[in-house]
Amino acid sequence: MAGELTGVRGASRRRRIAATAVIVVVWLAIFLLGGRAFSQLNDLGTNDRVQFLPASAESTMVQEQQSRFRAEGFSYAVAVFSFDEPLDEHAAPLMERSIQRMEPIEGVDVFRATPIIVSDDRLAAELVIPVDAAGELDEAVADLRAGLAQAVPEASGVYITGGAGFAADIIAAFSGIDGLLLLVALGAVLIILIVVYRSPLLPIIVLATSLSALCGAVLVVAGLARSGAILLAGQTQGILLILVVGATTNYALLYISRYTEALTRHESRWDATWDALRRSWQPILASGLTVIAALMVLLASQLDSNRTLGPIASIGIVFALLASFTLLPALLYWAGRAAFWPRKLTAPPPDATVLEASGVWPRLARFIRRRHRLVWVATSLVLAVMALGVTQLKADGSPSSEYVTGQSQAREGLAVLGEHYPAGSGTPAVVIVDVERSLDAVAAMLEVDGVDHVRIATLGGPTPVTADGVQPFAAGSGIALAPLVLDGRVLLEATLTSAADTPAAEATVRELRAALDDVGTDVLVGGQTAIDVDANAAAITDRTLIIPAIFLAIALILVLLLRSVVAPLIVIGSVALSFAAALGVSALVFNTVFGFSGADPTVPLFAFVFLIALGVDYNIFLMTRAREETLHHGPREGVLRALVVTGGVITSAGIVLAATFAALGVLPLLFLAQIAFIVAFGVLLDTFVVRTLLVPALVYDLDHRAWWPSRLGRARPARPESLDASTGGAGSGEPAAGEALPSGEAMRADGDAARV
């Protein structure tokens, strides 16, 4: 009989090993396939802002029609030359011939370039060259810069700016996403995990889980982008990487804390694994669902860059959950207690002494017990004062020339243009109008204060026009040029007196649209400045609609999870206050420390999505444990016990997540640098202030009312601490005679509450 029992146990053990081995092999295959797809993300992504605009936007319609007047599928590079000595009248034709004799550059058509225009002071020259936008734009622009410098050696400076120049700079900045960003993020996580666990093996298991989840997400996202099902923005790549690594690590830390407890209760690693899964799956799943819910609300966005971030990042969270529920338990099952070497696991302190033990978290719990009202009122006031800085946040758009925070030749070229030409040269406003109303349109455009001059697209290139009509000859050529008419419409270009990415230029575009509405409602105004105007307007609309929707989605999930109305309101309200405080402090730092001129309107929206969704995670970890402890110890001691038990793991998770998001700051991109600071600072606020002080103190003060209308909320309040000695149990949270919780609530199907 004993032999049969041993045989059964042996067979069962072999099945367990086989099952976990299959899980590891499947994830290894995902890791290898995803690793190969990882390098393809840069090629699949796009940074063309106009592609993210809704089809109904005026600048989008102009962009579609504009391609018919110019080389379709091409971007335009503005080449700028600066000289130390004034140019003579023969310089321009000589430069044009020299440029046309350049070595051919793939994707660059110098024979379709515009004539060279020499500045009034004769110290600069510019021309516009089409560059194939579908090819390797960054390489084409780099080769063009080098070729022009050789073709015009007498120039003291050669710059490529305009749309192609800035796009090349952005592509170069994003080229570090696959390597540098991942190394910095993983390096920060590894250091923190080694400090937290003091073990060489456990951090490797966590990072292997995070990387496998990331590779799975990349594999799916790359496939969808390759098929054209989604539009992959360059910035989305960095966010996906950081989000998956940070979220998976957070979920791993929560599971490991439960697994550590389970190993002290169970001799069998298999029993410990199932115990840990049974006690951790609900908060981990709820945390993942809150993030997914917040992200999927972005599908309501008008901007494709926001709308596609929702499903892409949600795919990442799904893989984070899958890896946390399968690969991580399998690896820890294999490692067992050796995962924690050289630290030996010890039994937790007796249940009755959890709050009386030494250490930071028991001392903090005892302080909250004595001064709970002072704690939550003081922390709320401090956060409210920090939130006042929100009024200084300039999130109505930032100059596109500052999008790249590092070195940018396109930005330098734009500055040279502004010194020698009207500031808006190279990036004009584009107007599409019926040919019979073109002269009326020109007259209306020239009446706008911010317009320097207007040109019309002709068979030979753009030709200056006046209110009296088209000039019959191109300057200096002696050749008559006829307007280029397509389907009865012509293209006009208005050079602005202000740089294209400034608020003054945006105001001029709005005035142009208002003035041209009188010419005809079908007159369209586009161009780079108009794209910025339309994108900012769409982002502000998104911000107004999406933020309340995210609040509602997360609230519903929390109500279902906590089976309460008051507790979710506490969680969401506290995290919202923390978000406002983080935004307020960030605004002051951006303005006074970094000197940023502004922020994209999507910055507060993205920061809100990540801070609310991820900040709620820590409160979910706390409140689900508080509910579990409340079932046995009452609401007041329950929340204090939850604070003590989850203090270490949540603090570690918060530091890890803040470090991973801070890694975004290594990329020289203004948008991601601002997101990195706001989210990292906000996560630390959630970790050390909201979850540690505000929420526990407020829940303690509300007592049973915090769990209304569940059965926990109808329990009688705990007796005052002053009666502890006489009652013999109320102070410890145990219900006195007649105060026990309903039996249906006192014990759940998953067994007794965890003890730490």
Side-chain angles (χ1 to χ4, degrees):
M1 186 69 179
E4 292 179 3
L5 183 59
T6 301
V8 170
R9 289 175 177 173
S12 177
R13 185 171 181 272
R14 286 193 295 272
R15 284 195 295 270
R16 295 167 184 174
I17 293 175
T20 53
V22 169
I23 291 173
V24 173
V25 169
V26 169
W27 276 105
L28 179 61
I30 292 173
F31 179 85
L32 295 175
L33 293 173
R36 293 179 59 186
F38 202 86
S39 60
Q40 302 172 5
L41 285 184
N42 275 341
D43 296 332
L44 296 171
T46 178
N47 299 294
D48 187 356
R49 200 175 188 188
V50 73
Q51 292 189 36
F52 304 139
L53 287 171
S56 59
E58 191 168 336
S59 52
T60 304
M61 292 186 283
V62 170
Q63 190 78 5
E64 293 173 354
Q65 297 189 34
Q66 182 180 347
S67 62
R68 301 174 60 223
F69 288 88
R70 296 173 173 172
E72 188 169 358
F74 278 72
S75 182
Y76 288 85
V78 179
V80 186
F81 305 88
S82 60
F83 300 90
D84 295 329
E85 299 294 333
L87 298 173
D88 59 31
E89 64 274 11
H90 304 294
L94 291 174
M95 289 171 61
E96 289 176 1
R97 285 195 291 271
S98 179
I99 291 171
Q100 291 175 357
R101 289 195 296 267
M102 285 170 45
E103 288 290 328
I105 300 173
E106 185 175 356
V108 178
D109 189 355
V110 295
F111 292 97
R112 300 182 67 174
T114 62
I116 287 181
I117 300 175
V118 178
S119 62
D120 291 341
D121 60 10
R122 315 293 297 180
L123 292 176
E126 71 159 327
L127 73 159
V128 179
I129 304 172
V131 180
D132 186 3
E136 299 293 337
L137 186 62
D138 54 334
E139 295 180 8
V141 168
D143 292 342
L144 180 59
R145 284 169 177 160
L148 291 176
Q150 292 180 356
V152 189
E154 61 272 20
S156 58
V158 180
Y159 310 90
I160 300 294
T161 186
F166 280 110
D169 286 346
I170 293 172
I171 291 172
F174 274 114
S175 64
I177 278 183
D178 291 340
L180 178 61
L181 181 58
L182 187 60
L183 286 175
V184 171
L186 294 181
V189 172
L190 179 62
I191 292 172
I192 295 170
L193 292 178
I194 290 176
V195 172
V196 169
Y197 290 116
R198 302 184 298 279
S199 165
L201 181 57
L202 201 55
I204 294 175
I205 291 175
V206 174
L207 289 183
T209 304
S210 298
L211 279 175
S212 299
L214 177 61
C215 287
V218 167
L219 184 62
V220 174
V221 169
L224 292 174
R226 196 180 299 109
S227 67
I230 59 173
L231 184 66
L232 181 62
Q235 64 196 26
T236 304
Q237 301 172 43
I239 292 173
L240 174 67
L241 186 155
I242 291 301
L243 187 62
V244 174
V245 171
T248 309
T249 304
N250 273 1
Y251 303 152
L253 291 175
L254 182 61
Y255 175 81
I256 290 171
S257 71
R258 289 294 200 171
Y259 187 61
T260 306
E261 297 174 15
L263 285 175
T264 64
R265 291 194 298 268
H266 302 280
E267 185 64 29
S268 166
R269 288 180 293 171
W270 185 257
D271 292 340
T273 297
W274 278 107
D275 189 13
L277 276 172
R278 187 172 61 249
R279 295 175 185 277
S280 63
W281 76 266
Q282 191 174 11
I284 291 177
L285 181 61
S287 299
L289 289 178
T290 58
V291 179
I292 292 173
L295 290 168
M296 294 306 287
V297 172
L298 291 175
L299 287 172
S301 172
Q302 297 184 34
L303 294 173
D304 278 347
S305 54
N306 295 349
R307 190 161 53 246
T308 57
L309 175 64
I312 290 173
S314 295
I315 290 170
I317 297 298
V318 168
F319 275 94
L321 291 172
L322 290 175
S324 300
F325 289 142
T326 57
L327 179 60
L328 179 66
L331 292 175
L332 285 174
Y333 169 73
W334 280 10
R337 291 169 177 80
F340 301 89
W341 182 88
R343 183 165 63 94
K344 291 185 178 180
L345 299 181
T346 57
D351 187 69
T353 64
V354 168
L355 297 181
E356 306 307 323
S358 60
V360 173
W361 302 109
R363 285 198 295 268
L364 180 60
R366 293 194 293 271
F367 174 74
I368 290 175
R369 175 189 282 169
R370 294 192 304 270
R371 297 285 186 268
H372 49 273
R373 189 161 298 171
L374 173 64
V375 169
W376 75 259
V377 170
T379 52
S380 298
L381 288 175
V382 169
L383 292 173
V385 170
M386 295 167 67
L388 295 177
V390 171
T391 58
Q392 303 301 312
L393 183 66
K394 296 178 288 187
D396 53 356
S398 59
S400 56
S401 59
E402 297 182 11
Y403 191 78
V404 177
T405 57
Q407 192 274 338
S408 169
Q409 193 184 84
R411 182 168 58 239
E412 295 170 4
L414 197 64
V416 172
L417 270 178
E419 292 175 7
H420 302 283
Y421 297 89
S425 295
T427 48
V430 178
V431 176
I432 307 290
V433 61
D434 291 342
V435 65
E436 64 268 15
R437 286 178 289 174
S438 59
L439 295 184
D440 294 335
V442 168
M445 294 164 70
L446 292 173
E447 288 294 321
V448 176
D449 289 338
V451 175
D452 184 85
H453 62 271
V454 178
R455 295 175 180 270
I456 188 170
T458 69
L459 296 174
T463 302
V465 297
T466 66
D468 297 328
V470 181
Q471 292 185 356
F473 297 98
S477 68
I479 303 174
L481 299 175
L484 177 59
V485 181
L486 295 175
D487 295 333
R489 296 173 76 79
V490 296
L491 182 146
L492 306 174
E493 293 181 345
T495 298
L496 310 183
T497 57
S498 303
D501 60 353
T502 60
E506 293 183 7
T508 300
V509 166
R510 294 188 187 97
E511 292 180 27
L512 271 174
R513 285 177 169 174
L516 291 172
D517 280 344
D518 295 334
V519 176
T521 56
D522 59 342
V523 180
L524 303 175
V525 179
Q528 186 58 52
T529 306
I531 290 172
D532 291 341
V533 169
D534 292 341
N536 290 341
I540 292 171
T541 300
D542 286 349
R543 207 166 62 196
T544 305
L545 296 176
I546 290 175
I547 287 178
I550 290 176
F551 266 127
L552 180 60
I554 293 178
L556 291 175
I557 292 175
L558 290 177
V559 168
L560 294 174
L561 174 69
L562 300 176
R563 298 166 230 176
S564 165
V565 172
V566 176
L569 291 177
I570 294 172
V571 170
I572 290 182
S574 62
V575 175
L577 182 58
S578 172
F579 166 71
L583 212 58
V585 172
S586 299
L588 298 178
V589 171
F590 293 164
N591 296 341
T592 60
V593 178
F594 297 129
F596 296 150
S597 60
D600 192 277
T602 57
V603 166
L605 175 61
F606 279 26
F608 176 84
V609 170
F610 297 127
L611 273 182
I612 292 297
L614 298 172
V616 165
D617 277 2
Y618 303 131
N619 285 297
I620 286 176
F621 297 164
L622 172 70
M623 294 300 285
T624 52
R625 188 59 180 253
R627 191 177 193 283
E628 179 180 315
E629 297 290 343
T630 297
L631 292 171
H632 300 275
H633 300 284
R636 284 192 160 177
E637 184 168 344
V639 72
L640 295 183
R641 284 173 172 269
L643 174 63
V644 173
V645 171
T646 64
V649 63
I650 294 180
T651 300
S652 302
I655 294 173
V656 165
L657 189 64
T660 53
F661 264 94
L664 282 172
V666 304
L667 297 178
L669 298 166
L670 179 63
F671 174 84
L672 292 181
Q674 291 172 330
I675 290 290
F677 184 88
I678 296 173
V679 175
F681 181 72
V683 165
L684 293 178
L685 270 184
D686 283 332
T687 303
F688 290 102
V689 179
V690 174
R691 187 271 316 172
T692 303
L693 298 170
L694 177 56
V695 171
L698 185 54
V699 171
Y700 187 94
D701 197 12
L702 290 173
D703 200 6
H704 69 288
R705 293 182 295 273
W707 300 100
W708 183 88
S710 69
R711 290 185 180 182
L712 294 180
R714 297 195 296 272
R716 291 172 59 186
R719 297 186 181 184
E721 284 78 357
S722 60
L723 300 179
D724 287 355
S726 60
T727 59
S732 65
E734 296 287 358
E739 292 182 348
L741 295 172
S743 59
E745 290 286 323
M747 185 65 70
R748 298 185 306 173
D750 60 356
D752 60 337
R755 300 287 185 260
V756 176

